[in-house]
Amino acid sequence: MTSEMYSERRKALSKALDNHSTVLLFSGTAPHKSEDVDYTYTPNRNFYYLTGITRPNMILMLTKQGESVTETLFIEEANPVLEKWIGRRMTVAEAKAVSGINSVYFLDSFEAQLGRHLARKRCDAVYLDLGRASWQQPLSKAHEFAAELTRKHPYLQIRNVHRELANLRLIKSEEEINNIRKAIDITRQGIENLLANAKPGMMEYELEAYYDFPLKLNGVKEPGFTSIIASGQNGVILHYEENDQQTKDGDLVLLDLGAQYKYYSADISRTFPVNGKFTERQKQIYNIVLNAEEELIAAVKPGVTWKQLNDLAKRLLADGLKSLGLIQDDAEISRYYYHSVGHQLGLNVHDVTTLDENDPLQPGMVITIEPGLYIEEESIGIRIEDDVLVTENGQENLSKHILKTVEDIEAFMAKASK
Ligand code: GLY
Ligand code: MN
Ligand code: MN
């Protein structure tokens, strides 16, 4: 990605802002884990989207006064003593080169500069990233800053910039699509290594280790989300993450995995028999999910809505189960299929979106398609998930190279076990 691209994104965001306003985005800090250990730092995705910078404690400030938009970045100052412990900090020159922002200052001047701006210029509103994925989520730096701003400047309107950025992030550029392709290809390597080494009796975490190895070889420090390796009965738990049970001969194993590349995530589900051979019953159910998945992918095109895709998924899966006599009418499908068929994909695995269920998909969107069937009484949990780009005329399955048919999975595992 070039600095011009980040510059273009900041311009696009500025157009969506009210006049006489300021945007403040924080790159964030590593959350505390325990005692003096923190979780691995991951950049605030909106800050990263607008700057390309992946370092903690930085602040982006954009001010809009009529046609004039000023961009300022505040970064940590080098500290020779601290650097002996935690390594080099980003320099001003590096921050300029990555982001394309020419006004770069140290953090200790942030309050003075913001204070001066608010004192001298007309500023009616401050936009912060106040996105919250759930009510329980801890308060971010932006939430705390909103409270401080309101206390010091009670006339200021506090706005949430999350929605404007979600809107921009919905349509992926060529570079972003290539990052997702790369994340998918690393995920493919991990899945193939897992399948090539799988044997009944292995622990789920042993399978995970085979998946993790190619990721590490590719420089992926951590996946885009917690890996799901769910054998047998665990496959019916949608977000099973313990991965600590022993697989048994005859088990299916449901994998839901995604490497990330430059913080763009893949999101792939595959289901395979740990002994390398599907039973007739497993094959029957598997092929219902597979046929539904392929039909759903073929239905993806500009103009189609999530409501239509969700309805189609339920109908296809219900038709399949009716043909087996497992259910009698369509409404009973909720017993065996209980999630939606997909979501946007990008810098977050469940990527930010402003789409309602009746809004049309558009070219440049990347989504997942992931029908599944979960038959608890038979210890069968099957989900098949691919990552799909909406194109001008239809769609491209970005993960089509990952093993998927019964025949291909069995042949691959048979060959690998020789
Ligand atoms: N990996 C979570 C999901 O498929 O939505
Ligand atoms: Mn998934
Ligand atoms: Mn998904």
Side-chain angles (χ1 to χ4, degrees), residues 70-176:
T70 314
E71 306 178 334
T72 316
L73 192 62
F74 296 90
I75 71 171
E76 288 182 307
E77 193 164 6
N79 174 334
V81 177
L82 212 54
E83 286 189 2
K84 287 195 193 308
W85 287 78
I86 58 170
R88 256 182 88 256
R89 294 253 170 88
M90 194 171 211
T91 64
V92 169
E94 286 165 342
K96 284 185 186 177
V98 174
S99 67
I101 297 173
N102 289 319
S103 299
V104 179
Y105 299 92
F106 294 124
L107 277 176
D108 58 10
S109 72
F110 168 67
E111 288 179 356
Q113 290 210 41
L114 177 63
R116 197 159 52 239
H117 175 74
L118 292 175
R120 293 185 185 167
K121 299 270 180 174
R122 175 172 166 197
C123 180
D124 301 334
V126 173
Y127 289 86
L128 298 163
D129 183 356
L130 298 170
R132 289 176 72 69
S134 71
W135 183 261
Q136 290 80 10
Q137 215 174 307
L139 294 180
S140 69
K141 166 97 178 157
H143 289 88
E144 285 163 15
F145 201 74
E148 189 177 348
L149 266 176
T150 306
R151 209 167 49 243
K152 293 198 165 137
H153 298 272
Y155 62 88
L156 276 178
Q157 296 167 35
I158 302 293
R159 301 262 173 84
N160 187 3
V161 77
H162 194 263
R163 199 175 163 81
E164 276 77 12
L165 281 160
N167 234 341
L168 295 177
R169 284 171 51 185
L170 265 175
I171 306 294
K172 270 65 180 177
S173 67
E174 204 54 47
E175 287 88 346
E176 292 181 289

Side-chain angles (χ1 to χ4, degrees), residues 267 343 350 368 370 385:
D267 186 9
H343 50 84
H350 296 157
T368 67
E370 49 180 306
E385 175 175 25

Side-chain angles (χ1 to χ4, degrees), residues 225 256-257 267-269 343 370 383 385:
F225 58 92
D256 190 340
L257 306 165
D267 186 9
I268 304 292
S269 298
H343 50 84
E370 49 180 306
R383 180 161 64 255
E385 175 175 25

